[in-house]
Amino acid sequence: MIDLRSDTVTRPTLAMKKAMFEAQVGDDVFGDDPSVNRLEAVAAERMGKEAALFVPSGTMANQIAIAVHTRPGDEVILEAGAHPFNYEAGGAAVISGVQLSPVPGKNGILEVAAVDAAIRAPNVHHAPGTLLCVEDTHNRGGGTVHPIERLDDLAALAHKRGLATHLDGARLWNAVVASHVAADRRARGYDTVSFCLSKGLGCPVGSLLCGPAPLIDRGRRVRKLLGGGMRQVGYLAAAGLYALDHHIERLEEDHRRARELSMGLMLAQIDVKLPQTNLVYLDVADAYAVRAALHPSGILVHAVSTTRLRLVTHLDIDDAAIEVVIRAFDKLPNSIKGPPPPPAAPPPPAASARPR
Ligand code: TLP
C-alpha cells in the first residue's frame, strides 16, 4: 500500500520500537512516569515555554487550550479553514461553551487587519473575543508556513486587543524545517503552543500542549475531565523523545518528495500548486472517482471534497512510491483527473422577481 491519506498513518520504525520497549514507566496520573516527565520537560524547553502537558491527540491539545483561555460565552477568532472549526466535532461549543468566529485568510494565512476587524468592541450584545488561534503549518491552506513577521504581528495585535493566543502547531516542525526559524522563535508571541508527535514525526500517538505553568496545571485538570489522563504512558512518551531526536531534520525529505510529486502531477496535466511542506492538494473533476481508480493499485488518497484531493508525504513514503503515484495519475482518464467543472451559473430570478 502507498498510503498518502495523511502523515498520521506511519508505523513506528524498529529503532523507535526499541526506545519504546526500553522505556522507564510509572503511573502518569500520579505524576510518576519518568519518561512522560522527561518528554514534557524537553517539549517545554524546545518551545521556549515554562511547562508542557502530554495528551493523546492534537484535537485534545487544542480543546484544552481553548478551555484554559476562555469562559463559556466567549468568542474565539480563528482562520475559516482552521482545524477546531472544521475537524474537532464541535468540541469548542461542547467542552468550553464558546462560539467560534471564522475569518477567511489567504491559503490559511490570516491578515492582521481582518483579525483586527473581527474583534468586536466591548458591548453588552457581544460575545467577548478572548482568544486568537493560529495554525502553522496550515492544513487546509495547503501546508502553508506563516512568515515569521505575520506570526508575530497576529500575536501582538491579539494581545494589544486583550486576547490570549494559541498556536496550533500540529505540524509546527514542518514549518520549522521549511522556514529555518526555530520552534521557540515561531511560538514566541503565543501564550500556548501545541504540536503533534503522531504526524510527520512518525509516532503512533501523542501531542504536547506547552505554555505557562499555571495554565498547564489547569490544562492537566481539563485533560483528566476529558478522560485523557493515562497511566504507564511512558511507552508512548519514549517514542516522542526518540522522534524529537531523530525525525525532525528528515522532514525536509518529505517536503522534497511533496515537491517532486506535485511537479510530476503537473506533467500529468493535474491542477496542483507547488507545496511549501508535505501536504499536496489537487483540484480534479471527480475526486471520488480518482480515489476509487487509484485504489486497485494500492494507492490511498484523501478526498477532501468532491473536487479536491489531499496527498501527504511522510516517513513511510519513499522515492519509488512517488514515481509509482505519478505514473498511476498519468494513466487516469482526463474526464476524472482534469480540472474541476466551473461553478454552476446562478438560477434565473423567480418570475415574480423579474422586472416587468
Ligand atoms: N488533522 C488530521 C485530520 O483531522 C484532518 C489530518 O489528517 O491532517 N491541528 C491540525 C492542523 C491538524 O491537521 C490536526 C489533524 C489536528 C490539529 C488534530 O490532531 P489529531 O488528529 O491528533 O487529533
Side-chain angles (χ1 to χ4, degrees), residues 287-299:
Y288 298 127
V290 171
R291 184 180 65 182
L294 293 171
H295 198 268
S297 339
I299 300 170

Side-chain angles (χ1 to χ4, degrees), residues 6 57-59 62 83 87-88 135 139 168 170-171 199 310:
S6 184
S57 67
T59 300
N62 281 341
H83 202 271
Y87 298 125
E88 296 189 8
E135 186 174 308
N139 177 357
D168 174 358
R171 296 187 178 83
K199 303 204 163 58
R310 188 184 73 168

Side-chain angles (χ1 to χ4, degrees), residues 44-335:
E45 205 253 325
R46 297 266 191 121
M47 292 293 149
K49 305 293 179 206
E50 212 180 344
L53 181 67
F54 186 41
V55 294
S57 67
T59 300
M60 195 184 286
N62 281 341
Q63 291 301 326
I64 293 175
I66 292 171
V68 299
H69 284 300
T70 63
R71 292 195 304 185
D74 284 357
E75 182 165 78
V76 175
I77 295 180
L78 74 189
E79 205 279 328
H83 202 271
F85 186 56
N86 292 279
Y87 298 125
E88 296 189 8
V94 177
I95 296 162
S96 300
V98 294
Q99 69 182 24
L100 301 179
S101 171
V103 177
K106 189 161 180 244
N107 300 323
I109 311 286
L110 286 163
E111 299 285 342
V112 177
V115 173
D116 198 23
I119 303 171
R120 303 172 203 265
N123 179 307
V124 70
H125 298 88
H126 294 162
T130 51
L131 175 65
L132 171 70
C133 289
V134 174
E135 186 174 308
D136 187 48
T137 65
H138 197 292
N139 177 357
R140 275 171 75 109
T144 41
V145 180
H146 286 74
I148 186 68
E149 303 74 23
R150 185 64 60 88
L151 277 183
D152 288 351
D153 292 350
L154 287 166
L157 167 84
H159 288 145
K160 190 176 103 198
R161 300 281 313 264
L163 281 73
T165 50
H166 171 63
L167 187 60
D168 174 358
R171 296 187 178 83
L172 187 72
W173 292 107
N174 294 86
V176 166
V177 166
S179 65
H180 305 289
V181 176
D184 57 346
R185 175 66 192 86
R186 296 192 77 75
R188 189 191 286 171
Y190 291 78
D191 301 305
T192 52
V193 53
S194 55
F195 71 89
C196 291
L197 300 168
S198 57
K199 303 204 163 58
L201 298 196
C203 297
V205 183
S207 294
L208 277 301
L209 176 66
C210 313
L215 277 186
I216 295 301
D217 282 348
R218 281 174 49 205
R220 203 171 287 279
R221 193 179 138 71
V222 179
R223 184 185 69 175
K224 193 76 188 82
L225 177 153
L226 296 172
M230 299 176 287
R231 304 295 177 171
Q232 286 71 31
V233 73
Y235 293 114
L236 295 175
L241 285 163
Y242 179 86
L244 287 171
D245 281 343
H246 297 94
H247 288 173
I248 291 181
E249 283 82 37
R250 64 150 308 285
L251 291 172
E252 179 44 41
E253 284 179 40
D254 297 343
H255 300 175
R256 171 181 62 77
R257 291 194 179 105
R259 288 193 296 272
E260 286 172 7
L261 174 61
S262 65
M263 285 188 287
L265 294 176
M266 278 175 208
L267 294 176
Q269 309 299 320
I270 309 277
D271 184 358
V272 57
K273 281 204 213 99
L274 210 56
Q276 292 179 15
T277 55
N278 67 327
L279 308 182
V280 179
Y281 280 89
L282 335 175
D283 293 306
V284 294
D286 187 339
Y288 298 127
V290 171
R291 184 180 65 182
L294 293 171
H295 198 268
S297 339
I299 300 170
L300 304 182
V301 297
H302 174 53
V304 184
S305 74
T306 53
T307 57
R308 197 145 225 243
L309 291 165
R310 188 184 73 168
L311 281 59
V312 184
T313 55
H314 52 73
L315 202 59
D316 295 346
I317 299 292
D318 58 12
D319 290 332
I322 298 294
E323 276 179 38
V324 170
V325 174
I326 293 170
R327 272 203 304 274
F329 266 92
D330 202 31
K331 287 197 202 116
L332 293 177
N334 270 328
S335 56

